[in-house]
Amino acid sequence: MARDYYGILGVDRGASDQEIKRAYRKLARELHPDVNPDESAQNRFQDVTAAYEVLTDPEKRRIVDAGGDPLESAGAGGFGGFGNGGFTGGLGDVFEAFFGGAGGGGGRGPRGRVQAGSDALLRMRLDLDECAAGVSKEVTVDTAILCDVCTGSGTNGNSKPVVCETCRGAGEVQSVQRSFLGQVMTSRPCPTCGGAGETIPDPCHKCGGDGRVRSRRTLTVKIPAGVADGMRVRLVGQGEVGPGGGPAGDLYVEVQEKQHSVFVRDGDDLHCTVRVPMVDAALGGEIDIDTILGGSTRVVIEPGTQPGQIAKIRGQGMPHLHTGVRGTLHVHLDVVVPTRLDSQQTKRLKEFRKLTLEDQIELVHAGSSNTGGLFSRLRNAFAGR
């Protein structure tokens, strides 16, 4: 069902362009996100802006008056079944695609001064602890905001825009060129008004007629627990305000995760390394280590621990971004063999060696099931086992 664009702006179907513009500016002053932060007001502001752009475009307004909806039909696919990415308007669009303008003298009409603003991107460096717990931080952004003097109209006081004398309100100028197809008419945006179809003879002294000014402001950004490097937090309507006081884009805050001194992150899991003396690896032991979210957890070193063995502690990793369920902490046990022994230590180890006659230095056969060292694992990997 076609939308009532006249009803959205609160004007009659026979309203003039000036009446439509006045109605839009009145509503924009009430509903603009910089003036009214309410979410319902922001949604209505988008509808009002869309209605203004439709009713100030002669071709789109003709479709509305005929009972259609130009915003719904624009993506339906018209010429040759190209769909959203193809031609929808007929032969004139074909000429425009090849020659940069409308064919046969048909124009697109003025684009209007009010345009949607662009998105902005800000990068924030966070410690792994902050990524795990979540954090609220204040950031300073420098973006275009609505001009508080003209509230987006771009005019000074009660002055009004006037029809561009160069394009006479068309928003584009046309030229005729000769080619192998004969005479081809091309169109380009009007150099005087930039395609808006109107100029401002008495612009606002603060914004110079743009309807927006640059400003530095401070925002509070809430980073949820579990974010990872490269993820972005979206702040709706906090980007650049568009030309003519158009709706603002969004602000994206991209997380850059700093390297941690102890933990290495792998998704929701964490890895760390604990150095275990040879004696503790043989006899077993315990160690308490600090966790990423505070507190500590106990790592049990089983008797007979081998170099490279991993102790897994569930629920001590990073929280999942959406569920909050924490991953696993992988503790890599690095068995340390002493390189310097005093005479007493050497004596005791020799006595120990005499008690373990069954443990001798020997060459292990390639097919032995007891080959679990690094060389054996590499050999099996190359052999495809």
Side-chain angles (χ1 to χ4, degrees):
M1 181 176 180
R3 283 169 286 189
D4 182 8
Y5 293 105
Y6 291 101
I8 293 175
L9 289 179
V11 297
D12 297 332
R13 297 185 68 85
S16 65
D17 290 345
Q18 291 299 325
E19 290 174 332
I20 291 174
K21 290 176 183 177
R22 282 196 296 268
Y24 169 73
R25 287 170 182 165
K26 179 181 178 181
L27 292 171
R29 292 188 183 98
E30 300 173 0
L31 302 173
H32 195 281
D34 285 345
V35 178
N36 192 339
D38 185 70
E39 185 176 354
S40 62
Q42 295 181 20
N43 294 333
R44 191 180 171 202
F45 179 69
Q46 294 178 356
D47 294 338
V48 167
T49 301
Y52 172 75
E53 293 178 351
V54 167
L55 296 182
T56 53
D57 185 315
E59 181 62 23
K60 292 179 181 178
R61 186 172 181 177
R62 184 188 62 79
I63 295 175
V64 172
D65 293 339
D69 191 333
L71 297 186
E72 289 184 358
S73 61
F79 186 84
F82 281 90
N84 291 344
F87 303 98
T88 59
L91 188 59
D93 293 314
V94 179
F95 273 90
E96 182 174 5
F98 281 96
F99 302 109
R108 285 285 186 183
R111 61 173 176 82
R113 290 185 54 253
V114 180
Q115 302 291 322
S118 58
D119 296 335
L121 176 64
L122 179 69
R123 291 181 173 86
M124 178 184 292
R125 289 178 59 80
L126 296 177
D127 295 326
L128 186 62
D129 311 65
E130 294 174 320
C131 293
V135 65
S136 292
K137 282 197 171 186
E138 289 189 346
V139 296
T140 301
V141 295
D142 188 354
T143 61
I145 64 171
L146 188 71
C147 177
D148 58 353
V149 175
C150 67
T151 61
S153 67
T155 58
N156 182 35
N158 294 324
S159 64
K160 303 294 183 181
V162 297
V163 176
C164 175
E165 295 181 356
T166 302
C167 65
R168 300 189 180 278
E172 58 187 13
V173 292
Q174 299 176 340
S175 60
V176 178
Q177 298 177 343
R178 304 184 67 88
S179 70
F180 67 94
L181 293 176
Q183 290 186 343
V184 178
M185 181 175 292
T186 60
S187 300
R188 59 185 177 87
C190 175
T192 302
C193 65
E198 60 184 18
T199 59
I200 301 177
D202 187 13
C204 171
H205 297 313
K206 184 171 184 178
C207 66
D210 192 40
R212 55 182 182 167
V213 293
R214 298 206 69 83
S215 176
R216 181 164 293 179
R217 53 204 171 100
T218 301
L219 300 173
T220 299
V221 181
K222 294 182 179 180
I223 305 296
V227 295
D229 187 71
M231 290 185 177
R232 293 181 176 181
V233 177
R234 178 187 179 192
L235 279 70
V236 178
Q238 295 297 338
E240 300 274 353
V241 168
D250 299 331
L251 173 65
Y252 290 89
V253 179
E254 183 175 283
V255 173
Q256 292 183 330
E257 186 180 284
K258 298 179 185 178
Q259 184 176 356
H260 197 270
S261 60
V262 174
F263 298 109
V264 176
R265 182 176 184 176
D266 179 19
D268 294 337
D269 292 344
L270 292 175
H271 296 258
C272 68
T273 300
V274 171
R275 300 185 67 187
V276 182
M278 180 184 65
V279 175
D280 291 308
L283 300 179
E286 295 178 345
I287 182 175
D288 291 332
I289 61 175
D290 294 333
T291 61
I292 193 65
L293 286 176
S296 63
T297 186
R298 179 158 295 182
V299 180
V300 177
I301 301 168
E302 300 293 342
T305 293
Q306 299 300 305
Q309 194 167 323
I310 300 175
K312 297 181 180 181
I313 306 176
R314 299 188 182 279
Q316 291 298 338
M318 296 289 290
H320 190 274
L321 180 61
H322 301 295
T323 65
V325 178
R326 296 179 64 180
T328 300
L329 174 61
H330 301 256
V331 183
H332 299 254
L333 304 177
D334 181 17
V335 178
V336 180
V337 178
T339 57
R340 293 182 180 179
L341 300 173
D342 57 28
S343 58
Q344 187 67 18
Q345 291 172 330
T346 301
K347 177 181 177 181
R348 295 300 185 189
L349 283 177
K350 286 182 177 179
E351 292 175 355
F352 175 74
R353 183 167 61 183
K354 291 179 180 179
L355 296 175
T356 56
L357 296 178
E358 70 278 5
D359 294 334
Q360 301 290 334
I361 300 174
E362 62 178 337
L363 179 65
V364 179
H365 294 286
S368 173
S369 60
N370 296 325
T371 57
L374 175 62
F375 175 77
S376 300
R377 292 196 296 270
L378 290 175
R379 182 196 61 233
N380 292 338
F382 282 114
R385 298 176 185 175

